[in-house]
Amino acid sequence: MNWFSRKQKNINTPTSQKKELPDGMWYKTPGGSIVHIRELKNNSFVCPEDDYHVRIGSKEYFEILFDNKSFTELDKDLMSSDPLKFSDTKSYKDRVSKSVKSTGLNDAIRTAYGKLNGHKIVISCMDFSFIGGSMGSVVGEKISRAIDFSLKSKMPLMIISKSGGARMMESTYSLMQMAKTSAKLSLLSKNKIPYISLMTDPTTGGVSASYAMLGDFNIAEPGALIGFAGPRVIKETIGSNLPKGFQRSEFLVDHGFLDFIVDRRDLKNKISKLLKMLKN
């Protein structure tokens, strides 16, 4: 049994010093492809085997889009209050505190400005990890302030949506953000400042019913779920089967709801070309 003798094979590492592989070294896509996390990061979090776009947050999008990963964040410290003293299985205040602690974010959106291939731009990006990317007062306010900054600086605006919809714990305060952001976006149109809306997986509810669908260009990542109500709810409501791929970005492009689909690996160059075309 010489093959079993560690010393004869010059393997002298004591068992106490052996290290287990860290968790999260590999990622398995819904299609069954397995990719190393390092390769995934180097590929803009897109699986090279099946082109599956892994869900990412504002940190990753900002690194992908801004030149040299350099940007200036706006309204970083804005946080949700609890105007209704809402409580379900836990208080809304505790739910927000837990999300802040677990994600390192102050709410479900971050806004920043910088350069994208030399073009000045303001980007607002939602984070699904913060209470399902739900749209509350802070999300609406930060988008409104980002629009104000775009108007003042004459920079184009891009919003990256990823949301389960309005934040029910804020009730009407949350629903008001649909009208608020929509009205603000009309000011960009009047001043001929471009607004690009990128919808990622998922973009649903009040977000899809407001600013996500109001872009001068409405674009999406491949395979993204985009719609108002979920497929199950719609099926139960109308009482019939839905078309294959219903509410996926490919279906929406074919039916005129989106302008085009963009692979995340090409996103920066595509947006750059779009901005150059609009500028000219």
Side-chain angles (χ1 to χ4, degrees):
M1 301 274 294
N2 287 336
W3 60 271
F4 195 73
S5 174
R6 295 171 58 86
K7 288 186 177 181
Q8 288 185 14
K9 289 184 174 289
N10 296 318
I11 303 175
N12 300 311
T13 306
T15 303
S16 60
Q17 293 183 20
K18 287 173 61 182
K19 295 182 179 180
E20 298 293 334
L21 283 173
D23 292 333
M25 290 286 288
W26 301 89
Y27 183 88
K28 184 177 182 179
T29 70
S33 297
I34 298 175
V35 58
H36 196 280
I37 292 296
R38 190 190 309 111
E39 184 179 2
L40 202 58
K41 288 181 179 179
N42 292 335
N43 204 42
S44 298
F45 294 90
V46 178
C47 179
E49 289 189 18
D50 59 11
D51 295 332
Y52 176 76
H53 283 53
V54 178
R55 287 182 183 177
I56 57 175
S58 57
K59 177 181 181 294
E60 291 79 16
Y61 277 112
F62 285 173
E63 289 179 352
I64 290 170
L65 293 171
F66 284 119
D67 293 346
N68 302 316
K69 303 178 183 179
S70 176
F71 57 88
T72 302
E73 190 164 353
L74 301 169
D75 307 302
K76 183 178 180 179
D77 298 324
L78 208 59
M79 298 181 68
S80 294
S81 59
D82 186 12
L84 303 177
K85 308 299 179 187
F86 186 90
S87 182
D88 44 29
T89 55
K90 64 174 69 174
S91 71
Y92 178 44
K93 185 177 180 180
D94 289 344
R95 197 179 294 276
V96 169
S97 296
K98 183 179 178 181
S99 292
V100 170
K101 185 176 180 180
S102 63
T103 64
L105 304 167
N106 285 333
D107 212 278
I109 195 167
R110 290 173 69 204
T111 57
Y113 69 93
K115 290 185 178 181
L116 185 154
N117 281 347
H119 299 281
K120 293 180 179 179
I121 189 171
V122 181
I123 301 178
S124 297
C125 183
M126 303 191 73
D127 282 277
F128 195 79
S129 58
F130 195 101
I131 315 181
S134 51
M135 176 186 63
S137 300
V138 169
V139 170
E141 181 63 18
K142 290 185 77 168
I143 289 176
S144 295
R145 293 188 186 188
I147 294 170
D148 287 338
F149 187 86
S150 288
L151 289 166
K152 183 179 179 180
S153 62
K154 305 299 182 183
M155 291 186 194
L157 172 69
M158 178 178 181
I159 298 180
I160 303 173
S161 297
K162 188 187 299 283
S163 174
R167 190 172 298 177
M168 67 172 189
M169 291 79 84
E170 293 188 20
S171 187
T172 308
Y173 287 95
S174 175
L175 297 178
M176 287 170 61
Q177 307 312 311
M178 296 172 64
K180 178 179 178 178
T181 53
S182 299
K184 277 280 190 177
L185 286 170
S186 68
L187 298 178
L188 288 181
S189 179
K190 289 178 181 178
N191 286 273
K192 297 184 178 181
I193 296 175
Y195 163 45
I196 301 168
S197 175
L198 171 64
M199 285 163 268
T200 66
D201 184 56
T203 299
T204 58
V207 170
S208 66
S210 55
Y211 55 83
M213 281 289 185
L214 294 177
D216 296 312
F217 289 89
N218 293 327
I219 63 180
E221 290 184 340
L225 175 67
I226 302 167
F228 183 66
R232 178 182 56 81
V233 174
I234 296 174
K235 183 177 179 179
E236 290 177 355
T237 302
I238 66 176
S240 61
N241 292 323
L242 301 170
K244 185 178 180 180
F246 178 68
Q247 291 188 320
R248 294 291 171 179
S249 50
E250 290 78 9
F251 184 93
L252 297 181
V253 165
D254 290 341
H255 290 78
F257 282 89
L258 296 174
D259 292 300
F260 59 88
I261 294 172
V262 57
D263 189 295
R264 192 183 294 152
R265 292 164 290 192
D266 300 326
L267 181 60
K268 187 172 184 176
N269 287 333
K270 289 275 190 178
I271 298 300
S272 176
K273 289 178 182 178
L274 199 56
L275 292 174
K276 185 178 181 180
M277 180 185 72
L278 292 169
K279 185 182 290 185
N280 292 335

